[in-house]
Amino acid sequence: GGDVTLPVVIKNIYKQDIQITNVGTGCSCVSWETRDRAFPIVVPSGKEVSLSLRLDTIRNDGEKKSVARVSLYEPTLGSAKTVE
């Protein structure tokens, strides 16, 4: 009957900066808390960014299976990938 949050840490292990271009989920019972952040969110080389997933257990009960997605982009190579 309350809100549950889960921190998700995204670490850039590469030499180039990467960008988080979008986040999504598989159902309305889970949402990302991006607050005042605007996309793209730049993750500098060797640094981390922490985002939070929020599970709404007030309006949703019972077992839920959902997927969290993060879309990443590396602008110098033009490489894009979505991870779940």
Side-chain angles (χ1 to χ4, degrees), residues 1-74:
D3 286 336
V4 178
T5 59
L6 172 70
V8 176
V9 177
I10 299 163
K11 182 176 182 178
N12 182 358
I13 61 172
Y14 301 103
K15 292 180 182 178
Q16 297 83 12
D17 293 351
I18 60 172
Q19 300 173 0
I20 301 170
T21 57
N22 196 15
V23 292
T25 62
C27 77
S28 63
C29 61
V30 179
S31 61
W32 286 96
E33 293 184 346
T34 53
R35 295 198 180 111
D36 298 330
R37 295 182 180 205
F39 292 105
I41 299 169
V42 176
V43 186
S45 175
K47 302 293 182 182
E48 298 178 345
V49 169
S50 183
L51 301 174
S52 292
L53 280 171
R54 179 181 161 270
L55 174 59
D56 181 357
T57 62
I58 296 171
R59 284 175 251 148
N60 299 279
D61 63 353
E63 183 177 343
K64 302 289 182 192
K65 295 189 187 249
S66 184
V67 174
R69 291 180 202 86
V70 178
S71 297
L72 303 169
Y73 180 68
E74 195 284 294

